[in-house]
Amino acid sequence: MKLTAIIVEDEETSRQILKNYLQKYCPNVEVLGEAANIEEALVLIRNNQLDVVFLDVEMPYGNAFDLLEKVGDINFETIFVTAYNHYAIDALNAHASYYLMKPISIDELIKAVDYVTDIKTKESALQDEVLVAKTSGVNGKITIPQQSGFEVLNTADILYCKADDNYTEIYLNNNKRKIVSKTLKYFEEALRDASFARVHKSYLVNINEVVKYQKGKGGSVVLSNGKEIMVSASKKADLLSYFK
């Protein structure tokens, strides 16, 4: 599992050492940026979706705990990196995932990253369970996962879904589009009981939004917003069964 991260450390040499270690020994960690102080760190945290922050305790004009207090609602894991062991209890109270002592042990760094990876993997699995539960347990609703939780959509508001490799583009009747890191097959199963039909390997349409069918080998459907979508020959019979 890929982890997005930043490094918050006032010493440039220490930042570079940690970054090099991560690149060499923890290739699943993508470092999106580095900060030398609290203000720089706040900008990075607010502008990026982060899985983990590698955080030195002592910095100019404040410390790690001041930073966490300013962030407020924390939705990332924290790995403290410090030369001082007397901050361990404070780090624990701040819900730190791991506490690394300088000089950094490569083995301990790998353990810390593995620990956070395990946390994030379980969170992702739980979010998938929530998605399935919501689609099957609440009439007319579907949830789509987001970094900070999930968004609830009315299935009636969905015009069609389009495959984009391992992503799905969801087109809504208010001209908005959502991009979700789930396959179209996933949504085909999730929307099975909500009058959605797979008309093409790349398209899943809301049958209630179909206003016209045009003949052909497979033919095509026109939706309420004027969008025309081709129907594959193998899906034609399934589609037409909705209108018998």
Side-chain angles (χ1 to χ4, degrees):
M1 183 180 185
K2 269 286 186 187
L3 298 178
T4 54
I6 62 169
I7 297 172
V8 183
E9 162 68 64
D10 63 315
E11 296 179 2
E12 183 177 355
T13 302
S14 296
R15 290 199 305 272
Q16 194 58 48
I17 289 172
L18 178 54
K19 187 175 181 179
N20 289 341
Y21 280 178
L22 289 170
Q23 289 175 342
K24 186 172 182 178
Y25 301 105
C26 305
N28 67 314
V29 177
E30 180 184 4
V31 178
L32 301 181
E34 303 170 31
N37 55 56
I38 288 176
E39 295 308 317
E40 290 177 2
L42 279 173
V43 171
L44 288 174
I45 289 170
R46 288 168 179 166
N47 291 338
N48 293 281
Q49 295 285 357
L50 300 173
D51 294 312
V52 58
V53 172
F54 292 89
L55 184 56
D56 186 18
V57 176
E58 295 194 348
M59 289 175 287
Y61 314 113
N63 60 30
F65 307 106
D66 297 323
L67 172 62
L68 295 176
E69 186 176 347
K70 288 188 176 184
V71 171
D73 186 15
I74 297 172
N75 56 10
F76 52 80
E77 302 300 317
T78 306
I79 296 177
F80 280 83
V81 185
T82 179
Y84 306 98
N85 59 16
H86 57 268
Y87 288 113
I89 293 178
D90 290 332
L92 182 64
N93 291 335
H95 305 290
S97 296
Y98 216 91
Y99 195 89
L100 289 175
M101 293 293 298
K102 296 179 183 177
I104 297 172
S105 160
I106 293 171
D107 288 341
E108 285 299 308
L109 176 62
I110 293 172
K111 285 181 183 178
V113 170
D114 285 347
Y115 184 74
V116 171
T117 301
D118 185 55
I119 291 173
K120 289 298 180 180
T121 300
K122 289 177 179 176
E123 283 181 359
S124 179
L126 179 61
Q127 195 171 67
D128 287 347
E129 289 177 10
V130 169
L131 183 60
V132 173
K134 288 294 182 183
T135 55
S136 61
V138 181
N139 291 332
K141 303 286 186 181
I142 187 171
T143 58
I144 57 175
Q146 296 180 330
Q147 186 77 13
S148 58
F150 59 84
E151 180 179 358
V152 181
L153 299 179
N154 292 316
T155 55
D157 293 338
I158 301 173
L159 291 173
Y160 65 96
C161 304
K162 179 182 178 183
D164 182 10
D165 292 328
N166 290 323
Y167 291 81
T168 297
E169 299 176 5
I170 300 176
Y171 290 82
L172 305 173
N173 56 18
N174 58 3
N175 294 320
K176 290 186 178 180
R177 181 184 66 159
K178 307 286 184 179
I179 300 177
V180 187
S181 59
K182 296 290 180 184
T183 64
L184 188 61
K185 177 67 174 176
Y186 185 92
F187 283 101
E188 181 182 9
E189 294 175 357
L191 293 166
R192 186 179 303 278
D193 298 325
S195 297
F196 280 75
R198 185 79 172 260
V199 298
H200 187 278
K201 68 177 183 179
S202 298
Y203 288 95
L204 180 69
V205 302
N206 185 344
I207 294 299
N208 294 313
E209 295 294 333
V210 174
V211 297
K212 185 187 294 185
Y213 171 75
Q214 300 183 145
K215 292 181 179 180
K217 184 177 181 181
S220 65
V221 291
V222 178
L223 303 182
S224 59
N225 67 340
K227 171 71 175 180
E228 183 177 2
I229 296 175
M230 301 304 296
V231 179
S232 64
S234 63
K235 301 293 185 183
K236 180 177 179 178
D238 290 341
L239 170 68
L240 295 181
S241 69
Y242 282 90
F243 300 96
K244 288 181 179 179

PDB file of all heavy atoms in Angstrom, residues 1 118-130 182:
ATOM      1  N   MET A   1       0.840  -1.197   0.000  1.00  0.00           N
ATOM      2  CA  MET A   1       0.000   0.000   0.000  1.00  0.00           C
ATOM      3  C   MET A   1       0.877   1.249   0.000  1.00  0.00           C
ATOM      4  O   MET A   1       1.812   1.375   0.772  1.00  0.00           O
ATOM      5  CB  MET A   1      -0.899   0.008   1.239  1.00  0.00           C
ATOM      6  CG  MET A   1      -1.855   1.181   1.290  1.00  0.00           C
ATOM      7  SD  MET A   1      -2.909   1.152   2.757  1.00  0.00           S
ATOM      8  CE  MET A   1      -3.971   2.546   2.425  1.00  0.00           C
ATOM      9  N   ASP A 118       0.046  -1.058   8.006  1.00  0.00           N
ATOM     10  CA  ASP A 118      -0.970  -1.985   8.514  1.00  0.00           C
ATOM     11  C   ASP A 118      -2.217  -1.225   8.982  1.00  0.00           C
ATOM     12  O   ASP A 118      -3.348  -1.640   8.708  1.00  0.00           O
ATOM     13  CB  ASP A 118      -0.382  -2.802   9.667  1.00  0.00           C
ATOM     14  CG  ASP A 118      -1.342  -3.872  10.174  1.00  0.00           C
ATOM     15  OD1 ASP A 118      -1.795  -4.691   9.353  1.00  0.00           O
ATOM     16  OD2 ASP A 118      -1.631  -3.907  11.374  1.00  0.00           O
ATOM     17  N   ILE A 119      -2.005  -0.104   9.663  1.00  0.00           N
ATOM     18  CA  ILE A 119      -3.135   0.719  10.116  1.00  0.00           C
ATOM     19  C   ILE A 119      -3.955   1.199   8.928  1.00  0.00           C
ATOM     20  O   ILE A 119      -5.183   1.099   8.912  1.00  0.00           O
ATOM     21  CB  ILE A 119      -2.628   1.927  10.933  1.00  0.00           C
ATOM     22  CG1 ILE A 119      -2.058   1.475  12.272  1.00  0.00           C
ATOM     23  CG2 ILE A 119      -3.762   2.938  11.152  1.00  0.00           C
ATOM     24  CD1 ILE A 119      -1.395   2.587  13.054  1.00  0.00           C
ATOM     25  N   LYS A 120      -3.281   1.711   7.915  1.00  0.00           N
ATOM     26  CA  LYS A 120      -3.973   2.263   6.755  1.00  0.00           C
ATOM     27  C   LYS A 120      -4.666   1.176   5.936  1.00  0.00           C
ATOM     28  O   LYS A 120      -5.741   1.404   5.368  1.00  0.00           O
ATOM     29  CB  LYS A 120      -2.987   3.055   5.881  1.00  0.00           C
ATOM     30  CG  LYS A 120      -2.528   4.361   6.510  1.00  0.00           C
ATOM     31  CD  LYS A 120      -3.706   5.295   6.712  1.00  0.00           C
ATOM     32  CE  LYS A 120      -3.316   6.607   7.344  1.00  0.00           C
ATOM     33  NZ  LYS A 120      -4.482   7.518   7.536  1.00  0.00           N
ATOM     34  N   THR A 121      -4.057   0.011   5.868  1.00  0.00           N
ATOM     35  CA  THR A 121      -4.675  -1.106   5.152  1.00  0.00           C
ATOM     36  C   THR A 121      -5.969  -1.516   5.831  1.00  0.00           C
ATOM     37  O   THR A 121      -6.994  -1.755   5.176  1.00  0.00           O
ATOM     38  CB  THR A 121      -3.716  -2.308   5.084  1.00  0.00           C
ATOM     39  OG1 THR A 121      -2.515  -1.918   4.403  1.00  0.00           O
ATOM     40  CG2 THR A 121      -4.350  -3.476   4.342  1.00  0.00           C
ATOM     41  N   LYS A 122      -5.945  -1.582   7.167  1.00  0.00           N
ATOM     42  CA  LYS A 122      -7.160  -1.940   7.910  1.00  0.00           C
ATOM     43  C   LYS A 122      -8.228  -0.858   7.770  1.00  0.00           C
ATOM     44  O   LYS A 122      -9.419  -1.162   7.662  1.00  0.00           O
ATOM     45  CB  LYS A 122      -6.813  -2.172   9.382  1.00  0.00           C
ATOM     46  CG  LYS A 122      -6.020  -3.453   9.624  1.00  0.00           C
ATOM     47  CD  LYS A 122      -5.626  -3.610  11.086  1.00  0.00           C
ATOM     48  CE  LYS A 122      -4.852  -4.902  11.296  1.00  0.00           C
ATOM     49  NZ  LYS A 122      -4.370  -5.052  12.694  1.00  0.00           N
ATOM     50  N   GLU A 123      -7.809   0.398   7.774  1.00  0.00           N
ATOM     51  CA  GLU A 123      -8.770   1.490   7.596  1.00  0.00           C
ATOM     52  C   GLU A 123      -9.442   1.399   6.232  1.00  0.00           C
ATOM     53  O   GLU A 123     -10.656   1.601   6.101  1.00  0.00           O
ATOM     54  CB  GLU A 123      -8.062   2.845   7.722  1.00  0.00           C
ATOM     55  CG  GLU A 123      -7.735   3.253   9.148  1.00  0.00           C
ATOM     56  CD  GLU A 123      -7.069   4.611   9.208  1.00  0.00           C
ATOM     57  OE1 GLU A 123      -6.859   5.215   8.131  1.00  0.00           O
ATOM     58  OE2 GLU A 123      -6.760   5.064  10.311  1.00  0.00           O
ATOM     59  N   SER A 124      -8.634   1.082   5.211  1.00  0.00           N
ATOM     60  CA  SER A 124      -9.170   0.955   3.860  1.00  0.00           C
ATOM     61  C   SER A 124     -10.164  -0.192   3.768  1.00  0.00           C
ATOM     62  O   SER A 124     -11.229  -0.071   3.153  1.00  0.00           O
ATOM     63  CB  SER A 124      -8.030   0.741   2.865  1.00  0.00           C
ATOM     64  OG  SER A 124      -8.516   0.599   1.554  1.00  0.00           O
ATOM     65  N   ALA A 125      -9.825  -1.318   4.406  1.00  0.00           N
ATOM     66  CA  ALA A 125     -10.725  -2.470   4.402  1.00  0.00           C
ATOM     67  C   ALA A 125     -12.029  -2.138   5.116  1.00  0.00           C
ATOM     68  O   ALA A 125     -13.118  -2.518   4.666  1.00  0.00           O
ATOM     69  CB  ALA A 125     -10.049  -3.666   5.065  1.00  0.00           C
ATOM     70  N   LEU A 126     -11.927  -1.410   6.233  1.00  0.00           N
ATOM     71  CA  LEU A 126     -13.116  -1.017   6.975  1.00  0.00           C
ATOM     72  C   LEU A 126     -13.978  -0.083   6.149  1.00  0.00           C
ATOM     73  O   LEU A 126     -15.209  -0.181   6.140  1.00  0.00           O
ATOM     74  CB  LEU A 126     -12.715  -0.341   8.292  1.00  0.00           C
ATOM     75  CG  LEU A 126     -13.858   0.161   9.181  1.00  0.00           C
ATOM     76  CD1 LEU A 126     -14.756  -1.001   9.594  1.00  0.00           C
ATOM     77  CD2 LEU A 126     -13.305   0.871  10.411  1.00  0.00           C
ATOM     78  N   GLN A 127     -13.335   0.814   5.418  1.00  0.00           N
ATOM     79  CA  GLN A 127     -14.080   1.745   4.580  1.00  0.00           C
ATOM     80  C   GLN A 127     -14.821   1.001   3.479  1.00  0.00           C
ATOM     81  O   GLN A 127     -15.956   1.336   3.126  1.00  0.00           O
ATOM     82  CB  GLN A 127     -13.112   2.762   3.966  1.00  0.00           C
ATOM     83  CG  GLN A 127     -13.789   3.980   3.374  1.00  0.00           C
ATOM     84  CD  GLN A 127     -12.792   5.037   2.977  1.00  0.00           C
ATOM     85  OE1 GLN A 127     -12.007   4.842   2.053  1.00  0.00           O
ATOM     86  NE2 GLN A 127     -12.816   6.159   3.656  1.00  0.00           N
ATOM     87  N   ASP A 128     -14.194  -0.048   2.940  1.00  0.00           N
ATOM     88  CA  ASP A 128     -14.856  -0.868   1.935  1.00  0.00           C
ATOM     89  C   ASP A 128     -16.079  -1.554   2.524  1.00  0.00           C
ATOM     90  O   ASP A 128     -17.120  -1.673   1.877  1.00  0.00           O
ATOM     91  CB  ASP A 128     -13.896  -1.927   1.374  1.00  0.00           C
ATOM     92  CG  ASP A 128     -12.848  -1.320   0.458  1.00  0.00           C
ATOM     93  OD1 ASP A 128     -13.023  -0.152   0.069  1.00  0.00           O
ATOM     94  OD2 ASP A 128     -11.856  -2.002   0.152  1.00  0.00           O
ATOM     95  N   GLU A 129     -15.962  -2.029   3.765  1.00  0.00           N
ATOM     96  CA  GLU A 129     -17.099  -2.666   4.426  1.00  0.00           C
ATOM     97  C   GLU A 129     -18.237  -1.666   4.605  1.00  0.00           C
ATOM     98  O   GLU A 129     -19.409  -1.994   4.429  1.00  0.00           O
ATOM     99  CB  GLU A 129     -16.678  -3.216   5.791  1.00  0.00           C
ATOM    100  CG  GLU A 129     -15.763  -4.437   5.707  1.00  0.00           C
ATOM    101  CD  GLU A 129     -15.318  -4.898   7.071  1.00  0.00           C
ATOM    102  OE1 GLU A 129     -15.873  -4.398   8.073  1.00  0.00           O
ATOM    103  OE2 GLU A 129     -14.418  -5.753   7.147  1.00  0.00           O
ATOM    104  N   VAL A 130     -17.870  -0.432   4.964  1.00  0.00           N
ATOM    105  CA  VAL A 130     -18.883   0.620   5.135  1.00  0.00           C
ATOM    106  C   VAL A 130     -19.578   0.891   3.811  1.00  0.00           C
ATOM    107  O   VAL A 130     -20.795   1.038   3.738  1.00  0.00           O
ATOM    108  CB  VAL A 130     -18.231   1.912   5.678  1.00  0.00           C
ATOM    109  CG1 VAL A 130     -19.218   3.075   5.609  1.00  0.00           C
ATOM    110  CG2 VAL A 130     -17.770   1.702   7.109  1.00  0.00           C
ATOM    111  N   LYS A 182     -12.436   2.952  -7.429  1.00  0.00           N
ATOM    112  CA  LYS A 182     -13.086   1.644  -7.467  1.00  0.00           C
ATOM    113  C   LYS A 182     -13.349   1.304  -8.923  1.00  0.00           C
ATOM    114  O   LYS A 182     -13.598   2.191  -9.743  1.00  0.00           O
ATOM    115  CB  LYS A 182     -14.407   1.647  -6.683  1.00  0.00           C
ATOM    116  CG  LYS A 182     -14.266   1.899  -5.192  1.00  0.00           C
ATOM    117  CD  LYS A 182     -13.621   0.724  -4.490  1.00  0.00           C
ATOM    118  CE  LYS A 182     -13.493   0.979  -3.000  1.00  0.00           C
ATOM    119  NZ  LYS A 182     -12.773  -0.109  -2.305  1.00  0.00           N
TER     120      LYS A 182
END
